[in-house]
mmCIF file of all heavy atoms in Angstrom:
data_model
loop_
_atom_site.group_PDB
_atom_site.id
_atom_site.type_symbol
_atom_site.label_atom_id
_atom_site.label_comp_id
_atom_site.label_asym_id
_atom_site.label_seq_id
_atom_site.Cartn_x
_atom_site.Cartn_y
_atom_site.Cartn_z
ATOM 1 N N GLY A 6 -2.788 14.627 -2.971
ATOM 2 C CA GLY A 6 -3.001 15.463 -4.160
ATOM 3 C C GLY A 6 -3.261 14.632 -5.403
ATOM 4 O O GLY A 6 -3.025 15.074 -6.522
ATOM 5 N N ALA A 8 -5.906 13.915 -6.919
ATOM 6 C CA ALA A 8 -6.970 14.335 -7.849
ATOM 7 C C ALA A 8 -6.499 15.491 -8.721
ATOM 8 O O ALA A 8 -7.261 16.035 -9.518
ATOM 9 C CB ALA A 8 -8.234 14.731 -7.072
ATOM 10 N N GLY A 9 -5.248 15.898 -8.547
ATOM 11 C CA GLY A 9 -4.687 16.991 -9.341
ATOM 12 C C GLY A 9 -4.045 16.473 -10.626
ATOM 13 O O GLY A 9 -4.133 15.281 -10.958
ATOM 14 N N PHE A 10 -3.395 17.361 -11.302
ATOM 15 C CA PHE A 10 -2.864 17.063 -12.640
ATOM 16 C C PHE A 10 -1.833 15.927 -12.605
ATOM 17 O O PHE A 10 -2.000 14.889 -13.254
ATOM 18 C CB PHE A 10 -2.251 18.349 -13.218
ATOM 19 C CG PHE A 10 -1.543 18.170 -14.513
ATOM 20 C CD1 PHE A 10 -2.184 17.604 -15.609
ATOM 21 C CD2 PHE A 10 -0.230 18.588 -14.658
ATOM 22 C CE1 PHE A 10 -1.533 17.444 -16.820
ATOM 23 C CE2 PHE A 10 0.433 18.434 -15.862
ATOM 24 C CZ PHE A 10 -0.213 17.859 -16.938
ATOM 25 N N ILE A 11 -0.789 16.111 -11.827
ATOM 26 C CA ILE A 11 0.269 15.092 -11.831
ATOM 27 C C ILE A 11 -0.142 13.887 -10.991
ATOM 28 O O ILE A 11 0.051 12.735 -11.396
ATOM 29 C CB ILE A 11 1.603 15.676 -11.319
ATOM 30 C CG1 ILE A 11 2.043 16.834 -12.228
ATOM 31 C CG2 ILE A 11 2.677 14.597 -11.298
ATOM 32 C CD1 ILE A 11 3.371 17.443 -11.852
ATOM 33 N N GLY A 12 -0.738 14.146 -9.812
ATOM 34 C CA GLY A 12 -1.101 13.054 -8.910
ATOM 35 C C GLY A 12 -2.063 12.065 -9.557
ATOM 36 O O GLY A 12 -1.909 10.846 -9.404
ATOM 37 N N LEU A 30 -5.209 10.839 -0.714
ATOM 38 C CA LEU A 30 -5.722 11.895 0.178
ATOM 39 C C LEU A 30 -5.677 13.222 -0.570
ATOM 40 O O LEU A 30 -4.597 13.715 -0.915
ATOM 41 C CB LEU A 30 -4.844 11.972 1.434
ATOM 42 C CG LEU A 30 -5.128 13.156 2.375
ATOM 43 C CD1 LEU A 30 -6.531 13.075 2.964
ATOM 44 C CD2 LEU A 30 -4.079 13.205 3.493
ATOM 45 N N ASP A 31 -6.848 13.795 -0.805
ATOM 46 C CA ASP A 31 -6.900 15.058 -1.557
ATOM 47 C C ASP A 31 -8.013 15.923 -0.972
ATOM 48 O O ASP A 31 -9.112 15.450 -0.703
ATOM 49 C CB ASP A 31 -7.163 14.769 -3.041
ATOM 50 C CG ASP A 31 -6.873 15.978 -3.922
ATOM 51 O OD1 ASP A 31 -7.547 17.022 -3.748
ATOM 52 O OD2 ASP A 31 -5.993 15.883 -4.793
ATOM 53 N N LYS A 32 -7.720 17.197 -0.830
ATOM 54 C CA LYS A 32 -8.687 18.136 -0.254
ATOM 55 C C LYS A 32 -9.774 18.525 -1.255
ATOM 56 O O LYS A 32 -10.801 19.070 -0.879
ATOM 57 C CB LYS A 32 -7.915 19.380 0.192
ATOM 58 C CG LYS A 32 -8.679 20.377 1.029
ATOM 59 C CD LYS A 32 -7.720 21.487 1.444
ATOM 60 C CE LYS A 32 -8.444 22.570 2.224
ATOM 61 N NZ LYS A 32 -7.506 23.655 2.602
ATOM 62 N N LEU A 33 -9.531 18.260 -2.517
ATOM 63 C CA LEU A 33 -10.422 18.694 -3.604
ATOM 64 C C LEU A 33 -10.611 20.212 -3.566
ATOM 65 O O LEU A 33 -11.720 20.719 -3.378
ATOM 66 C CB LEU A 33 -11.766 17.955 -3.570
ATOM 67 C CG LEU A 33 -11.704 16.462 -3.891
ATOM 68 C CD1 LEU A 33 -13.098 15.840 -3.887
ATOM 69 C CD2 LEU A 33 -11.023 16.194 -5.236
ATOM 70 N N THR A 34 -9.523 20.920 -3.699
ATOM 71 C CA THR A 34 -9.589 22.367 -3.899
ATOM 72 C C THR A 34 -10.074 22.598 -5.334
ATOM 73 O O THR A 34 -10.368 21.641 -6.066
ATOM 74 C CB THR A 34 -8.199 23.010 -3.742
ATOM 75 O OG1 THR A 34 -7.367 22.569 -4.832
ATOM 76 C CG2 THR A 34 -7.557 22.634 -2.401
ATOM 77 N N ALA A 36 -8.422 22.962 -7.723
ATOM 78 C CA ALA A 36 -7.497 22.290 -8.651
ATOM 79 C C ALA A 36 -7.721 20.780 -8.712
ATOM 80 O O ALA A 36 -7.243 20.120 -9.631
ATOM 81 C CB ALA A 36 -6.047 22.564 -8.237
ATOM 82 N N GLY A 37 -8.438 20.233 -7.738
ATOM 83 C CA GLY A 37 -8.647 18.784 -7.721
ATOM 84 C C GLY A 37 -9.907 18.422 -8.491
ATOM 85 O O GLY A 37 -10.918 19.118 -8.413
ATOM 86 N N ASN A 38 -9.854 17.328 -9.227
ATOM 87 C CA ASN A 38 -11.006 16.945 -10.031
ATOM 88 C C ASN A 38 -11.091 15.427 -10.066
ATOM 89 O O ASN A 38 -10.259 14.760 -10.704
ATOM 90 C CB ASN A 38 -10.844 17.508 -11.449
ATOM 91 C CG ASN A 38 -12.071 17.252 -12.289
ATOM 92 O OD1 ASN A 38 -12.998 16.561 -11.866
ATOM 93 N ND2 ASN A 38 -12.073 17.804 -13.496
ATOM 94 N N GLY A 56 -9.609 15.126 2.237
ATOM 95 C CA GLY A 56 -9.075 15.712 3.466
ATOM 96 C C GLY A 56 -7.804 16.477 3.184
ATOM 97 O O GLY A 56 -7.298 16.511 2.057
ATOM 98 N N ASP A 57 -7.290 17.071 4.251
ATOM 99 C CA ASP A 57 -6.180 18.027 4.162
ATOM 100 C C ASP A 57 -4.888 17.374 4.662
ATOM 101 O O ASP A 57 -4.892 16.736 5.729
ATOM 102 C CB ASP A 57 -6.540 19.231 5.050
ATOM 103 C CG ASP A 57 -5.679 20.438 4.766
ATOM 104 O OD1 ASP A 57 -4.435 20.291 4.677
ATOM 105 O OD2 ASP A 57 -6.249 21.533 4.639
ATOM 106 N N ILE A 58 -3.796 17.580 3.926
ATOM 107 C CA ILE A 58 -2.517 17.008 4.386
ATOM 108 C C ILE A 58 -2.077 17.600 5.725
ATOM 109 O O ILE A 58 -1.256 17.026 6.424
ATOM 110 C CB ILE A 58 -1.370 17.203 3.365
ATOM 111 C CG1 ILE A 58 -1.173 18.686 3.009
ATOM 112 C CG2 ILE A 58 -1.564 16.349 2.137
ATOM 113 C CD1 ILE A 58 0.145 18.981 2.315
ATOM 114 N N GLY A 59 -2.634 18.770 6.074
ATOM 115 C CA GLY A 59 -2.264 19.403 7.334
ATOM 116 C C GLY A 59 -3.075 18.905 8.523
ATOM 117 O O GLY A 59 -2.820 19.320 9.658
ATOM 118 N N PHE A 79 2.031 14.920 -3.569
ATOM 119 C CA PHE A 79 1.772 15.811 -4.711
ATOM 120 C C PHE A 79 0.887 16.987 -4.293
ATOM 121 O O PHE A 79 0.647 17.881 -5.097
ATOM 122 C CB PHE A 79 1.024 15.070 -5.827
ATOM 123 C CG PHE A 79 1.790 13.983 -6.511
ATOM 124 C CD1 PHE A 79 1.524 12.650 -6.243
ATOM 125 C CD2 PHE A 79 2.753 14.275 -7.459
ATOM 126 C CE1 PHE A 79 2.199 11.633 -6.893
ATOM 127 C CE2 PHE A 79 3.444 13.274 -8.118
ATOM 128 C CZ PHE A 79 3.168 11.947 -7.834
ATOM 129 N N ALA A 80 0.324 16.943 -3.075
ATOM 130 C CA ALA A 80 -0.647 17.974 -2.685
ATOM 131 C C ALA A 80 0.054 19.312 -2.527
ATOM 132 O O ALA A 80 1.063 19.418 -1.836
ATOM 133 C CB ALA A 80 -1.313 17.578 -1.364
ATOM 134 N N ALA A 81 -0.491 20.322 -3.192
ATOM 135 C CA ALA A 81 0.118 21.649 -3.105
ATOM 136 C C ALA A 81 -0.821 22.667 -3.727
ATOM 137 O O ALA A 81 -1.693 22.322 -4.524
ATOM 138 C CB ALA A 81 1.450 21.671 -3.860
ATOM 139 N N GLU A 82 -0.641 23.898 -3.329
ATOM 140 C CA GLU A 82 -1.140 25.011 -4.137
ATOM 141 C C GLU A 82 -0.063 25.227 -5.184
ATOM 142 O O GLU A 82 1.119 25.334 -4.847
ATOM 143 C CB GLU A 82 -1.329 26.254 -3.267
ATOM 144 C CG GLU A 82 -2.502 26.160 -2.309
ATOM 145 C CD GLU A 82 -3.846 26.178 -3.033
ATOM 146 O OE1 GLU A 82 -3.919 26.730 -4.152
ATOM 147 O OE2 GLU A 82 -4.816 25.631 -2.486
ATOM 148 N N SER A 83 -0.449 25.274 -6.449
ATOM 149 C CA SER A 83 0.574 25.108 -7.480
ATOM 150 C C SER A 83 0.590 26.170 -8.585
ATOM 151 O O SER A 83 1.257 25.961 -9.593
ATOM 152 C CB SER A 83 0.425 23.719 -8.118
ATOM 153 O OG SER A 83 -0.792 23.667 -8.823
ATOM 154 N N HIS A 84 -0.139 27.259 -8.392
ATOM 155 C CA HIS A 84 -0.147 28.247 -9.489
ATOM 156 C C HIS A 84 0.471 29.574 -9.054
ATOM 157 O O HIS A 84 -0.020 30.225 -8.131
ATOM 158 C CB HIS A 84 -1.565 28.436 -10.028
ATOM 159 C CG HIS A 84 -2.054 27.210 -10.737
ATOM 160 N ND1 HIS A 84 -3.016 26.374 -10.217
ATOM 161 C CD2 HIS A 84 -1.661 26.644 -11.901
ATOM 162 C CE1 HIS A 84 -3.208 25.358 -11.040
ATOM 163 N NE2 HIS A 84 -2.397 25.491 -12.068
ATOM 164 N N THR A 98 -0.829 25.347 2.932
ATOM 165 C CA THR A 98 -0.667 23.983 2.400
ATOM 166 C C THR A 98 0.800 23.631 2.148
ATOM 167 O O THR A 98 1.288 22.600 2.595
ATOM 168 C CB THR A 98 -1.489 23.802 1.107
ATOM 169 O OG1 THR A 98 -2.869 23.719 1.465
ATOM 170 C CG2 THR A 98 -1.090 22.532 0.361
ATOM 171 N N VAL A 130 7.186 15.873 -3.891
ATOM 172 C CA VAL A 130 7.253 16.443 -5.239
ATOM 173 C C VAL A 130 7.226 17.963 -5.118
ATOM 174 O O VAL A 130 6.283 18.536 -4.584
ATOM 175 C CB VAL A 130 6.079 15.947 -6.095
ATOM 176 C CG1 VAL A 130 6.132 16.569 -7.480
ATOM 177 C CG2 VAL A 130 6.119 14.431 -6.181
ATOM 178 N N SER A 131 8.279 18.577 -5.576
ATOM 179 C CA SER A 131 8.394 20.025 -5.460
ATOM 180 C C SER A 131 8.433 20.629 -6.862
ATOM 181 O O SER A 131 7.853 20.078 -7.796
ATOM 182 C CB SER A 131 9.665 20.358 -4.667
ATOM 183 O OG SER A 131 9.788 21.741 -4.488
ATOM 184 N N THR A 132 9.096 21.752 -6.998
ATOM 185 C CA THR A 132 9.118 22.432 -8.290
ATOM 186 C C THR A 132 10.440 23.172 -8.476
ATOM 187 O O THR A 132 11.027 23.646 -7.500
ATOM 188 C CB THR A 132 7.958 23.438 -8.388
ATOM 189 O OG1 THR A 132 8.166 24.242 -9.552
ATOM 190 C CG2 THR A 132 7.893 24.341 -7.165
ATOM 191 N N ASP A 133 10.858 23.282 -9.735
ATOM 192 C CA ASP A 133 12.092 24.038 -9.986
ATOM 193 C C ASP A 133 11.917 25.525 -9.688
ATOM 194 O O ASP A 133 12.907 26.265 -9.608
ATOM 195 C CB ASP A 133 12.597 23.814 -11.410
ATOM 196 C CG ASP A 133 11.610 24.270 -12.468
ATOM 197 O OD1 ASP A 133 10.465 24.599 -12.113
ATOM 198 O OD2 ASP A 133 11.991 24.293 -13.657
ATOM 199 N N TYR A 158 4.694 31.057 -4.099
ATOM 200 C CA TYR A 158 4.634 29.644 -4.510
ATOM 201 C C TYR A 158 5.986 29.016 -4.378
ATOM 202 O O TYR A 158 6.165 27.946 -3.811
ATOM 203 C CB TYR A 158 4.138 29.559 -5.963
ATOM 204 C CG TYR A 158 4.344 28.226 -6.655
ATOM 205 C CD1 TYR A 158 3.838 27.045 -6.117
ATOM 206 C CD2 TYR A 158 5.050 28.160 -7.845
ATOM 207 C CE1 TYR A 158 4.022 25.843 -6.773
ATOM 208 C CE2 TYR A 158 5.225 26.952 -8.509
ATOM 209 C CZ TYR A 158 4.722 25.793 -7.969
ATOM 210 O OH TYR A 158 4.895 24.592 -8.624
HETATM 211 N N1 NAD B 201 2.105 20.740 -13.224
HETATM 212 C C1 NAD B 201 3.369 21.023 -13.478
HETATM 213 O O1 NAD B 201 3.756 21.303 -14.620
HETATM 214 C C2 NAD B 201 4.399 20.975 -12.371
HETATM 215 C C3 NAD B 201 5.732 21.214 -12.684
HETATM 216 C C4 NAD B 201 6.690 21.152 -11.666
HETATM 217 C C5 NAD B 201 6.308 20.841 -10.374
HETATM 218 N N2 NAD B 201 4.991 20.615 -10.092
HETATM 219 C C6 NAD B 201 4.652 20.304 -8.702
HETATM 220 O O2 NAD B 201 4.002 19.038 -8.632
HETATM 221 C C7 NAD B 201 3.028 19.067 -7.562
HETATM 222 C C8 NAD B 201 1.654 18.702 -8.125
HETATM 223 O O3 NAD B 201 1.364 19.611 -9.176
HETATM 224 P P1 NAD B 201 -0.004 19.550 -10.004
HETATM 225 O O4 NAD B 201 0.243 20.283 -11.269
HETATM 226 O O5 NAD B 201 -0.502 18.152 -10.050
HETATM 227 O O6 NAD B 201 -0.941 20.458 -9.070
HETATM 228 P P2 NAD B 201 -2.537 20.614 -9.099
HETATM 229 O O7 NAD B 201 -2.816 21.999 -8.603
HETATM 230 O O8 NAD B 201 -3.106 20.170 -10.404
HETATM 231 O O9 NAD B 201 -3.023 19.550 -8.006
HETATM 232 C C9 NAD B 201 -2.811 19.726 -6.626
HETATM 233 C C10 NAD B 201 -3.766 18.783 -5.898
HETATM 234 O O10 NAD B 201 -3.518 18.950 -4.503
HETATM 235 C C11 NAD B 201 -4.770 19.030 -3.831
HETATM 236 N N3 NAD B 201 -4.558 19.810 -2.605
HETATM 237 C C12 NAD B 201 -4.280 21.135 -2.501
HETATM 238 N N4 NAD B 201 -4.129 21.493 -1.222
HETATM 239 C C13 NAD B 201 -4.307 20.350 -0.488
HETATM 240 C C14 NAD B 201 -4.259 20.056 0.895
HETATM 241 N N5 NAD B 201 -4.007 21.006 1.805
HETATM 242 N N6 NAD B 201 -4.468 18.782 1.291
HETATM 243 C C15 NAD B 201 -4.728 17.799 0.385
HETATM 244 N N7 NAD B 201 -4.803 18.032 -0.941
HETATM 245 C C16 NAD B 201 -4.577 19.285 -1.370
HETATM 246 C C17 NAD B 201 -5.707 19.701 -4.822
HETATM 247 O O11 NAD B 201 -7.077 19.439 -4.531
HETATM 248 C C18 NAD B 201 -5.238 19.091 -6.134
HETATM 249 O O12 NAD B 201 -5.937 17.905 -6.425
HETATM 250 C C19 NAD B 201 3.098 20.473 -6.963
HETATM 251 O O13 NAD B 201 3.985 20.470 -5.887
HETATM 252 C C20 NAD B 201 3.679 21.296 -8.108
HETATM 253 O O14 NAD B 201 4.354 22.439 -7.630
HETATM 254 C C21 NAD B 201 4.040 20.662 -11.052
#
Side-chain angles (χ1 to χ4, degrees):
F10 174 55
I11 300 182
L30 172 64
D31 195 298
K32 190 176 177 181
L33 292 182
T34 68
N38 185 354
D57 196 313
I58 56 165
F79 293 105
E82 288 291 334
S83 67
H84 292 108
T98 287
V130 179
S131 182
T132 170
D133 61 351
Y158 165 56

